[in-house]
């Protein structure tokens, strides 16, 4: 079996880790996780999803373990994963075999990385669910991410929510929308950031217009 996992970009790794992009860049710059977990494609930095879990462990235990001890723990666990029948599946957080121990003992201290891996596994599933509910097709809406099977861009719906248009109003125009779709849109937009201003919802549905464009300012005292 291949040891090489599928790698994800910084934004997705940061989401899975529950960290920010800057912290993930530091992971690579300072070699905070084993070398088998990050990678690079040209100028694009990439991470195995397991590397995101390990990054969170590294940051969260900063006040408990010295840096060398944290690195040793992560090196031992990476070697442990490498000995599995399909290490790439685990490094990509596609599966977590029950017989894998995420505990390491150092000088009488029991260090359990399992909770960090489990949390990252849940967040990775959120990404997978979002990727299933959102798709990109160059022939549909110019390649903008849309809810799968529709021509409704997620950016338009999210921008409408951010402007104060309620879920009920959105569902009057897009009856397929569920809370699961909206959550998936948020996750997808986070892990696949895009530039540019989304089309206003009023362009897609002329019947849905804001009640007022007046800006309300607080009175001067």
């Amino acid at each position: 079996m291949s040891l090489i996992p599928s790698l994800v970009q910084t934004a997705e790794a940061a989401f899975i880790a529950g960290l920010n992009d800057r912290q993930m860049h530091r992971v690579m710059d300072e070699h905070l996780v084993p070398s088998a977990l990050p990678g690079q494609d040209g100028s694009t930095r990439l991470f195995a999803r397991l590397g995101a879990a390990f990054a969170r462990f590294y940051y969260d235990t900063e006040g408990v373990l010295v840096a060398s001890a944290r690195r040793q723990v992560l090196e031992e666990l990476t070697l442990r994963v490498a000995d599995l029948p399909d290490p790439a599946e685990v490094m990509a957080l596609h599966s977590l075999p029950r017989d894998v121990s995420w505990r390491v003992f150092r000088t009488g201290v029991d260090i359990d990385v399992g909770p960090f891996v489990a949390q990252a596994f849940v967040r990775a599933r959120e990404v997978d669910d979002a990727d299933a509910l959102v798709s990109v097709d160059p022939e549909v809406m110019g390649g903008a991410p849309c809810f799968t099977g529709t021509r409704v861009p997620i950016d338009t719906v999210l921008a409408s929510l951010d402007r104060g248009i309620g879920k009920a109003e959105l569902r009057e125009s897009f009856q397929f929308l569920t809370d699961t779709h909206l959550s998936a849109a948020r996750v997808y937009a986070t892990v696949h950031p895009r530039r540019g201003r989304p089309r206003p919802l009023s362009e897609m549905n002329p019947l849905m217009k804001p009640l007022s464009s007046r800006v309300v300012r607080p009175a001067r005292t």
Side-chain angles (χ1 to χ4, degrees), residues 56-66 70 111 116:
R56 183 58 184 266
F57 163 81
Y58 188 94
Y59 279 108
D60 280 11
T61 57
E62 191 170 12
V64 180
L65 300 170
V66 298
R70 282 174 279 161
I111 304 166
F116 299 93

Side-chain angles (χ1 to χ4, degrees), residues 95-128:
S95 65
L96 288 181
R98 293 186 177 183
D99 58 348
V100 176
S101 173
W102 299 101
R103 304 174 83 99
V104 176
F105 295 90
R106 283 287 181 275
T107 59
V109 178
D110 180 5
I111 304 166
D112 187 5
V113 185
F116 299 93
V117 177
Q119 183 182 50
F121 184 78
V122 170
R123 292 175 74 86
R125 296 284 71 72
E126 291 182 40
V127 174
D128 291 340

